[in-house]
Amino acid sequence: MDSGVHQFKSSPAFYLLRIFKLWYIHAYMDLMWVTRDLRNCLIYYLSDVILNIAGVTGTLLLAERFEGIGSWTKFQVVFMLGYGIVASGIVYTFFGYNISHISRRLGRGQLDHTLIQPQPIWMCLLTEGFNPFSSSAIPISGLGLMVWAGAKLSLTLSPGWLAMIALNLVASSAIMLSFSFLWGSLAFWAPRGAEEINSSTNRLMDGLRPFPLDGVAPVLLSSMLTVFPIGFVAWYPCRYLLGLDPRAWGGCITPVAAVIFVALTAFFFMRGLKHYGQTGSQRYLSFGHRR
Amino acid sequence: MRVNTLHKYWKTTAIAAAEYVGNNLLFLMDYLLRFLRVTVLLSIWRVILASKGEVSGMTLESVLTYTLISEVFSQQLAPRVRLDVAIWEGSIATRFLRPIGIFGQFTAEMVGRWIFGFCIFSLPLLLVAPILGVNPLPVSVEAAGLFVFSLALAISVGLALEFAYGALMVALEHNLYTLDMVRNAIGMVLSGALLPLALLPWGLGEIFAWLPFASMASAPLQIYTGTGDPFWLVSVQFGWSIILWPLAYGLWRKYREKLVSHGG
Amino acid sequence: MVKPDRSDTSASDIVVELSGVCKTFRQKQRSERLRDVFRNLFRPTVREVHALRNIDLRIHRGEIVAYAGPNGAGKSTTVKILSSLLVPDAGTARVLGMNTARDRIRYVGRIGVVFGQRTELWWDQPVAASFEWKRVVWDIPRDRYNRMLDFVKELMGLGEFFNSLTRELSLGQRMRADLGLVLMHEPEILFLDEPTIGVDVLAKRNILEFIKDLNRERHVTVMLTSHDMSELEQIAGRIVMINRGQIAFDGDFNRLRREFGARRRLLIETADRSPPDLKGADLIKSEAGRHEYIFDASQVKIPALLEQASIQAQILDVETHQASIDDVIADIYEKWQK
């Protein structure tokens, strides 16, 4: 019987069950947090909506003023903006509490809290930042923009197209997270110098994500699909989804890129962890831990 | 102000500058990412305004200069004294124990953080502007002089808003971090730092021009590029300075006790 | 270095075993001048800090061991290695028969760690939520969880604030909650790094009583660090002292006093207000005819001091005290600094 239990504990089913169990407890805690008082709750949701809409307002206004941006029509731009918000919403929903801002956790010496938990580190990182209630305003506001633009563009919603949009959204979110982790891992080697590096990468992401990148100089464009993969967050997948990229396999590029970025991230993060085991963190800040 | 007092502020500025540089070259990454951002934005403007000629009094050339100068002076056009961090950490209380003015020490630290950013990023960006196809020069010598004056007023308005906002948030007991993000996002659009107000649809730019945010960025940038009436722009900036500083002082006096006890 | 008291131990009951553990950190040195910032950036001076040098340490099941030393001696580095957070540069660290650097998940499920300056409680949640979180993450069966919850709630008096937000707790309450939390999975060994830092005397007493009860009733092995020596003396049967990365003493408190604590206090009350000048003793306080001296009992005998005093003044009363453990330790640290 013991060996049966042991076998189950190392099976994928056990891990899956455990992930759902952990998501449940974190969702529950998130609900408790967001509903702790009415005023905070309302301000929180309102701020989130304003924040996300304000982030794309500049592009919206430009698209309105010039009836589109470059070869993109106004509502194609709106669809792309909505897509970008939903993709980032997925990241914030699953990887809150500074998980997606990993340079802070590493730079502040807070990884110790994760290391003393009796579960794989990847499982902690996958589940500890789950906050579906406090982050729900983000994907919902993005979805609203997508639906509005979709209606104006008279998009035909076939099951295949919906599957592609779901696949690409997950891939875009994975690339966003990889981008944060790839750069954030530098904090393993330079805790103080790189503590806020994810603030810089997020600023870059938030600043450029809302723009269609057609016509951008090739050197810049190639960097934005490789070292700084912002192009995959909304622009590239939306080109395919809106029919601007006629290639039938165009919808697979973002998912394939996601696999590559996730593999690279895993490699660098593991290298960083190994280094952390040798040096630890010489600094500890309680600031921001589980707050 | 006595020399001794000035020395105290300078020492605060110097220590903040040294701290900002950090302990390795990774702090330079932020500048690399900012450089990438501005070059992409310039590219995007070229796409948007291609073959459009003059739009609302702005040519492609003036929009490119406007965008570049906005990035060069981005720290000054949106001054941040990190009041939110001091309040959240609770370290605000210890500021009151130092024998120098509270606004002065926050400002001195902010200037310290500016120094290296200006030397390492802003000046080089100005120098490489011609390579990026952007004319970095002001529209005239007079415009350059007026820009300096207007920039000083922009910083003044920005700081007054920063202090008033900090005190108000503590008074209202709101989540500083979230609201700060909201303020940044809204401020970016309303100030004209990202998009020239003249290019906004439905005449929105004319309304936004009356708000204090426009005095923080749009006014000096318009003067630099010669796309606005300097006298009117400086007058509005001056007006907001006169209104906002007494407000900031008043709020700090009123909520001083709450500020000190907040977070620590 | 003083040899440990116990050299002959059976291997089976050893739960902590450090053999030849070394750990070195590299620390950049920087000039404070603004004009040196670029030199600091490109060519900083690097100093090697030998946090641990060849540490050998064994702890037996059921022991309470105090781990003490001056600031920067290497206490926290040892606790971090024992908690699997750090890997030794050389040597091995085995706890409960496991290599701390390998098999982390299984290992941390059997130990409990409390860092006094940190909290494992979720800040914006009621204390109860952190306990429920712990049940899921540590995979504690429901019946065992309920049993332990009753136990720690009663023992630590958590009931009164169990549904309050962590951020609203006092430091003492937070510490009690953290200690309660760490026990929920019934760890076999506890590493407590300054568990009473900042708490008031009553809360401190309760925490110490709690640790003692836990050790007595459940045979939990405890290793704790603290700067409060009287606290360590109250609770621990054995003290291991570390200095500059090396074990400098390993034994019980009585032996520590015998070897290092020959200093005693002498209190003399005289008719005259001026204190007598005593050779071999230092006057530390004189007030209203009461004079307090400190002296090394291994060098100077009390009768000799009293004889000197009686020549100089009329003695009304005499008291002598053994130096407090804090005095003893302060003397040791002072000696090590020289």
Side-chain angles (χ1 to χ4, degrees):
Chain A
M1 186 176 161
D2 269 2
S3 73
V5 171
H6 186 72
Q7 250 179 9
F8 175 67
K9 283 203 164 186
S10 54
S11 70
F14 169 77
Y15 281 117
L16 207 61
L17 199 70
R18 189 163 173 78
I19 287 168
F20 279 113
K21 234 166 133 178
L22 290 165
W23 270 339
Y24 174 77
I25 183 87
H26 286 111
Y28 177 77
M29 284 162 75
D30 184 47
L31 180 67
M32 292 290 106
W33 180 78
V34 84
T35 54
R36 71 198 191 282
D37 82 67
L38 186 64
R39 193 179 68 159
N40 263 314
C41 178
L42 292 176
I43 289 176
Y44 194 84
Y45 279 119
L46 195 64
S47 309
D48 250 6
V49 173
I50 295 172
L51 185 63
N52 281 285
I53 300 297
V56 297
T57 300
T59 317
L60 273 175
L61 293 173
L62 273 182
E64 173 66 35
R65 177 74 161 80
F66 297 101
E67 288 172 359
I69 293 178
S71 56
W72 291 58
T73 65
K74 186 172 90 182
F75 283 105
Q76 283 175 332
V77 172
V78 174
F79 183 89
M80 189 197 78
L81 294 175
Y83 180 98
I85 293 178
V86 174
S88 62
I90 293 173
V91 173
Y92 294 135
T93 302
F94 283 86
F95 303 97
Y97 291 114
N98 279 347
I99 300 274
S100 61
H101 212 121
I102 194 72
S103 64
R104 282 193 182 150
R105 282 203 169 205
L106 302 179
R108 293 172 181 176
Q110 293 165 355
L111 195 67
D112 292 0
H113 292 284
T114 306
L115 290 170
I116 60 170
Q117 291 177 29
Q119 53 185 353
I121 293 162
W122 64 264
M123 197 182 278
C124 294
L125 297 175
L126 179 64
T127 55
E128 200 170 288
F130 188 50
N131 49 170
F133 295 100
S134 56
S135 289
S136 56
I138 307 173
I140 288 171
S141 53
L143 213 58
L145 284 178
M146 283 175 82
V147 170
W148 177 42
K152 293 285 182 185
L153 290 168
S154 308
L155 292 175
T156 319
L157 307 181
S158 67
W161 188 83
L162 287 172
M164 282 314 280
I165 202 171
L167 178 66
N168 275 273
L169 272 171
V170 172
S172 293
S173 308
I175 290 173
M176 272 183 86
L177 190 70
S178 294
F179 180 47
S180 283
F181 267 64
L182 267 174
W183 287 93
S185 294
L186 289 172
F188 276 121
W189 289 273
R192 195 186 138 209
E195 179 191 330
E196 283 301 330
I197 202 159
N198 279 152
S199 297
S200 306
T201 54
N202 287 356
R203 255 199 310 276
L204 182 75
M205 179 86 72
D206 294 342
L208 297 181
R209 189 187 68 197
F211 294 104
L213 301 173
D214 305 72
V216 168
V219 180
L220 291 175
L221 197 57
S222 54
S223 76
M224 291 179 67
L225 293 173
T226 50
V227 193
F228 310 103
I230 296 152
F232 287 117
V233 174
W235 170 69
Y236 204 88
C238 285
R239 285 188 88 237
Y240 167 78
L241 294 166
L242 295 172
L244 295 168
D245 180 355
R247 292 171 297 184
W249 45 272
C252 300
I253 291 180
T254 306
V256 168
V259 172
I260 296 169
F261 279 111
V262 169
L264 269 175
T265 304
F267 173 75
F268 280 108
F269 195 76
M270 293 308 286
R271 290 283 299 258
L273 267 178
K274 206 171 165 190
H275 178 77
Y276 192 87
Q278 294 299 325
T279 59
S281 179
Q282 299 304 304
R283 67 203 292 254
Y284 177 76
L285 302 173
S286 59
F287 198 62
H289 172 63
R290 289 178 180 173
R291 294 183 192 192
Chain B
M1 200 181 276
R2 293 214 318 253
V3 174
N4 185 30
T5 312
L6 273 177
H7 185 67
K8 288 177 187 176
Y9 286 119
W10 164 243
K11 198 70 194 164
T12 309
T13 299
I15 202 162
E19 190 181 67
Y20 180 67
V21 174
N23 56 358
N24 60 47
L25 292 170
L26 273 174
F27 83 105
L28 294 174
M29 278 308 304
D30 188 40
Y31 297 114
L32 177 72
L33 299 180
R34 278 176 63 189
F35 181 76
L36 178 74
R37 180 175 166 273
V38 72
T39 48
V40 174
L41 282 176
L42 291 171
S43 251
I44 290 168
W45 276 121
R46 287 193 176 98
V47 173
I48 294 173
L49 296 174
S51 67
K52 285 219 163 54
E54 192 175 299
V55 181
S56 304
M58 294 190 88
T59 60
L60 173 61
E61 193 192 348
S62 61
V63 171
L64 294 182
T65 307
Y66 186 102
T67 304
L68 184 100
I69 298 301
S70 172
E71 192 59 44
V72 166
F73 292 102
S74 61
Q75 295 183 112
Q76 290 73 30
L77 300 177
R80 289 287 180 271
V81 294
R82 296 196 183 168
L83 202 54
D84 55 332
V85 176
I87 292 170
W88 196 30
E89 281 179 335
S91 63
I92 184 97
T94 56
R95 309 276 180 153
F96 285 93
L97 301 174
R98 300 176 188 169
I100 45 176
I102 192 88
F103 288 178
Q105 54 182 295
F106 272 115
T107 308
E109 284 176 32
M110 178 188 72
V111 173
R113 289 191 293 270
W114 284 357
I115 291 175
F116 283 93
F118 200 77
C119 298
I120 287 169
F121 179 72
S122 300
L123 285 179
L125 185 58
L126 271 177
L127 293 174
V128 301
I131 301 169
L132 300 173
V134 181
N135 175 13
L137 298 174
V139 73
S140 64
V141 178
E142 295 80 38
L146 275 169
F147 170 76
V148 174
F149 183 59
S150 175
L151 186 65
L153 280 173
I155 295 168
S156 163
V157 173
L159 281 176
L161 260 183
E162 177 85 341
F163 287 120
Y165 164 83
L168 206 60
M169 287 308 101
V170 169
L172 298 174
E173 293 176 347
H174 282 173
N175 182 333
L176 283 159
Y177 180 70
T178 315
L179 287 180
D180 205 48
M181 301 265 287
V182 171
R183 183 176 65 129
N184 287 343
I186 293 176
M188 184 67 102
V189 177
L190 298 185
S191 70
L194 182 66
L195 308 174
L197 296 182
L199 298 185
L200 298 184
W202 311 311
L204 281 176
E206 286 163 32
I207 301 167
F208 292 170
W210 287 96
L211 300 177
F213 297 105
S215 291
M216 290 166 60
S218 180
L221 292 171
Q222 279 184 266
I223 291 172
Y224 196 89
T225 51
T227 52
D229 173 11
F231 179 75
W232 183 80
L233 291 167
V234 167
S235 302
V236 175
Q237 284 186 296
F238 200 69
W240 276 117
S241 253
I242 288 174
I243 294 169
L244 288 172
W245 274 111
L247 180 74
Y249 269 109
L251 285 171
W252 271 69
R253 281 174 73 93
K254 189 167 166 57
Y255 297 112
R256 184 188 154 131
E257 199 172 310
K258 214 166 181 179
L259 271 160
V260 174
S261 58
H262 197 88
Chain C
M1 194 182 114
V2 182
K3 291 273 180 203
D5 264 351
R6 308 166 194 228
S7 52
D8 180 24
T9 52
S10 77
S12 61
D13 72 338
I14 291 172
V15 287
V16 173
E17 190 169 18
L18 295 179
S19 310
V21 168
C22 298
K23 190 80 205 168
T24 302
F25 297 110
R26 287 159 60 83
Q27 209 175 55
K28 287 180 187 168
Q29 304 293 292
R30 293 171 193 87
S31 154
E32 78 287 5
R33 289 173 303 197
L34 184 58
R35 62 171 176 269
D36 291 335
V37 283
F38 287 106
R39 207 194 66 193
N40 290 343
L41 264 180
F42 294 105
R43 289 182 57 200
T45 316
V46 175
R47 183 172 75 107
E48 284 204 332
V49 179
H50 300 284
L52 298 178
R53 307 168 196 234
N54 209 21
I55 295 280
D56 290 313
L57 177 67
R58 286 170 170 193
I59 296 176
H60 298 254
R61 189 176 294 281
E63 265 192 302
I64 300 184
V65 176
Y67 196 55
N71 290 327
K75 299 187 295 294
S76 291
T77 302
T78 314
V79 174
K80 279 186 176 177
I81 286 176
L82 291 172
S83 315
S84 81
L85 300 179
L86 276 177
V87 180
D89 291 340
T92 54
R94 293 186 72 79
V95 182
L96 300 168
M98 298 160 82
N99 186 320
T100 60
R102 293 180 203 145
D103 205 2
R104 179 189 65 84
I105 296 170
R106 209 156 60 89
Y107 174 62
V108 296
R110 293 177 64 187
I111 63 164
V113 190
V114 173
F115 292 104
Q117 316 241 30
R118 312 181 185 190
T119 181
E120 283 305 311
L121 300 163
W122 287 73
W123 200 244
D124 275 312
Q125 298 282 343
V127 175
S130 295
F131 277 71
E132 186 57 23
W133 170 81
K134 170 110 185 190
R135 181 184 70 77
V136 175
V137 174
W138 264 255
D139 224 358
I140 307 168
R142 178 69 78 173
D143 55 337
R144 202 171 109 193
Y145 172 80
N146 289 338
R147 181 170 45 79
M148 279 308 289
L149 189 60
D150 290 343
F151 171 70
V152 297
K153 270 172 94 170
E154 192 191 325
L155 210 61
M156 301 300 286
L158 304 186
E160 53 177 308
F161 54 83
F162 201 58
N163 290 101
S164 303
L165 293 183
T166 302
R167 64 158 67 245
E168 291 168 358
L169 303 186
S170 71
L171 195 55
Q173 288 173 327
R174 201 214 79 197
M175 208 60 243
R176 275 151 65 195
D178 254 317
L179 278 168
L181 188 71
V182 80
L183 294 174
M184 290 304 293
H185 64 290
E186 297 181 83
E188 293 165 60
I189 180 161
L190 275 179
F191 298 111
L192 309 175
D193 194 7
E194 302 194 43
T196 56
I197 192 161
V199 300
D200 67 43
V201 282
L202 180 61
K204 193 180 282 187
R205 193 174 70 189
N206 291 340
I207 288 170
L208 295 180
E209 284 301 320
F210 170 73
I211 296 169
K212 272 203 273 193
D213 286 350
L214 202 68
N215 171 260
R216 198 168 41 238
E217 290 168 20
R218 293 175 174 257
H219 310 292
V220 175
T221 309
V222 181
M223 177 178 183
L224 83 160
T225 77
S226 173
H227 284 293
D228 185 334
M229 294 301 152
S230 51
E231 166 186 316
L232 291 179
E233 189 176 25
Q234 271 180 58
I235 189 172
R238 173 181 166 200
I239 178 168
V240 176
M241 293 188 69
I242 182 169
N243 179 42
R244 291 179 186 158
Q246 290 181 304
I247 291 189
F249 178 85
D250 185 350
D252 62 31
F253 281 87
N254 287 335
R255 216 189 89 197
L256 185 74
R257 282 177 190 280
R258 276 201 309 276
E259 290 189 14
F260 294 102
R263 301 233 296 174
R264 293 181 70 93
R265 285 169 193 268
L266 173 66
L267 201 76
I268 302 175
E269 193 176 342
T270 57
D272 194 349
R273 280 178 166 266
S274 60
D277 179 23
L278 304 183
K279 270 187 189 166
D282 297 325
L283 179 72
I284 52 171
K285 201 163 77 181
S286 177
E287 203 179 306
R290 287 175 66 83
H291 320 292
E292 193 173 347
Y293 299 84
I294 193 156
F295 65 100
D296 185 345
S298 64
Q299 302 291 321
V300 189
K301 300 293 169 211
I302 295 175
L305 292 173
L306 291 178
E307 196 181 325
Q308 286 184 59
S310 61
I311 295 167
Q312 298 173 49
Q314 185 192 347
I315 298 173
L316 301 179
D317 195 11
V318 174
E319 285 175 40
T320 70
H321 299 284
Q322 200 177 36
S324 72
I325 189 68
D326 286 304
D327 285 336
V328 174
I329 300 291
D331 287 346
I332 296 172
Y333 289 176
E334 197 177 12
K335 200 180 285 179
W336 285 346
Q337 272 180 1
K338 283 174 188 167

